[in-house]
Amino acid sequence: MFKDITIGQYYPTNSAIHRLDPRTKIIFTFVYIVMLFVITNIWGYLAAFLLLAAVTIASKIPMSYIIKGVKPLILIILLTVILNLFMTPGTAVAALGPLKITAEGIKVAVFMAIRLIFLVVGTSLMTLTTSPIDLTDGMEFCMKGIPVVRRYAHELSMMMSIALRFIPTLMEETDRIMKAQKARGANFETGNLIARAKALIPILVPLFISAFRRADELAIAMEARCYRGGENRTRMNQLQFAKGDGVAFGLMIALVALLIATRFIPAPF
């Protein structure tokens, strides 16, 4: 399961999406996330699906690799669906003891599941098509436009990019530790909730030790290269908007207009 996590990984290919300026992709992703919460009917989700499909094809990333990133969230998606099925008031269509499934609950549950999947896939596409260095520079530029965090834009963007980069690394480390503990007779799949929580201690302790060791090694490596933060820092490759970025911004404006328009189109259900 841990190997299926794609957030934070970079998939290098020579595609039009990869060549876009990282600032364009960050702004596009932010607008996309906001618009996902504006969508209210099936037409909006259909437009979002077509957008994701077009971006995935243009990025030349295998569809199987994109779908793999959704697998670790299946449990969270199922939990969200179940809670919305039974907790949303409305017209009852079925009953399971004291719990009732409503027509409104089915609609909300389906839309919430789709929203979560689209949210994960959309954010994964940004990290899969943007190298860590470009992602750091892009986030720093975007944060400089926020008055509250402008002073610490470089430090915050560096921490966020490092955190994203180390997500797959820590997941792989967790998988290795679990296999090592299972080889020593550890059991993580039986017992009650408390017993399973206690069984995780032999995983968490070496995982934290490994994380702190990696952080210390990274700090030493950065100091050895005379890293001193964002003040007076120069870049070998300066960020520049190209013609493709202008096309992307035009498509973003068209997408926002389209998704807002779908709110006024009657849905079949």
Side-chain angles (χ1 to χ4, degrees):
M1 181 181 71
F2 296 109
K3 294 181 179 179
D4 294 332
I5 295 178
T6 58
I7 295 179
Q9 296 185 14
Y10 175 60
Y11 193 97
T13 61
N14 185 21
S15 71
I17 305 299
H18 284 72
R19 291 192 295 269
L20 288 176
D21 191 283
R23 295 169 291 183
T24 302
K25 288 183 275 190
I26 291 172
I27 295 172
F28 201 112
T29 303
F30 177 77
V31 172
Y32 169 77
I33 292 173
V34 173
M35 295 310 298
L36 276 181
F37 292 91
V38 175
I39 295 172
T40 57
N41 56 37
I42 189 63
W43 301 119
Y45 287 108
L46 179 60
F49 170 77
L50 294 176
L51 170 68
L52 281 179
V55 173
T56 302
I57 294 172
S59 66
K60 299 181 181 179
I61 298 176
M63 187 63 69
S64 59
Y65 196 85
I66 300 293
I67 296 174
K68 184 176 69 172
V70 182
K71 291 181 181 179
L73 296 174
I74 290 178
L75 184 61
I76 297 176
I77 294 172
L78 289 177
L79 180 62
T80 303
V81 169
I82 293 172
L83 289 176
N84 282 283
L85 278 176
F86 294 104
M87 298 299 178
T88 304
T91 306
V93 295
L96 185 62
L99 302 176
K100 295 182 180 180
I101 299 177
T102 63
E104 292 78 3
I106 295 174
K107 179 180 177 180
V108 173
V110 171
F111 282 175
M112 284 298 295
I114 296 174
R115 182 178 294 169
L116 285 174
I117 294 172
F118 284 5
L119 188 64
V120 173
V121 173
T123 52
S124 297
L125 280 173
M126 183 187 69
T127 58
L128 287 170
T129 59
T130 313
S131 66
I133 294 176
D134 289 342
L135 190 61
T136 301
D137 292 341
M139 287 193 294
E140 180 180 353
F141 177 87
C142 295
M143 287 182 182
K144 285 183 178 178
I146 306 174
V148 180
V149 299
R150 181 181 300 167
R151 182 178 177 183
Y152 309 101
H154 176 77
E155 288 76 8
L156 290 173
S157 61
M158 177 64 71
M159 287 188 295
M160 292 173 63
S161 62
I162 289 175
L164 285 172
R165 171 61 186 84
F166 274 89
I167 287 175
T169 303
L170 291 177
M171 293 301 100
E172 291 177 3
E173 186 73 19
T174 303
D175 189 45
R176 284 196 294 266
I177 293 172
M178 288 186 67
K179 289 179 179 178
Q181 296 294 354
K182 286 181 179 180
R184 294 176 173 86
N187 189 353
F188 305 107
E189 300 176 356
T190 60
N192 54 30
L193 186 62
I194 297 176
R196 292 188 180 187
K198 289 181 178 179
L200 292 177
I201 295 177
I203 297 176
L204 295 177
V205 172
L207 180 63
F208 274 105
I209 293 174
S210 175
F212 285 124
R213 186 180 68 251
R214 288 179 182 273
D216 186 57
E217 292 173 352
L218 179 61
I220 294 173
M222 294 172 74
E223 289 180 0
R225 290 166 173 81
C226 300
Y227 174 78
R228 294 295 181 271
E231 187 176 357
N232 299 322
R233 176 175 176 263
T234 59
R235 298 176 176 85
M236 183 174 67
N237 298 317
Q238 297 292 332
L239 298 180
Q240 292 182 347
F241 288 111
K243 186 183 296 184
D245 297 291
V247 175
F249 277 112
L251 292 175
M252 181 175 65
I253 295 173
L255 172 67
V256 172
L258 176 62
L259 292 179
I260 293 176
T262 59
R263 292 173 59 90
F264 303 99
I265 301 176
F269 55 88

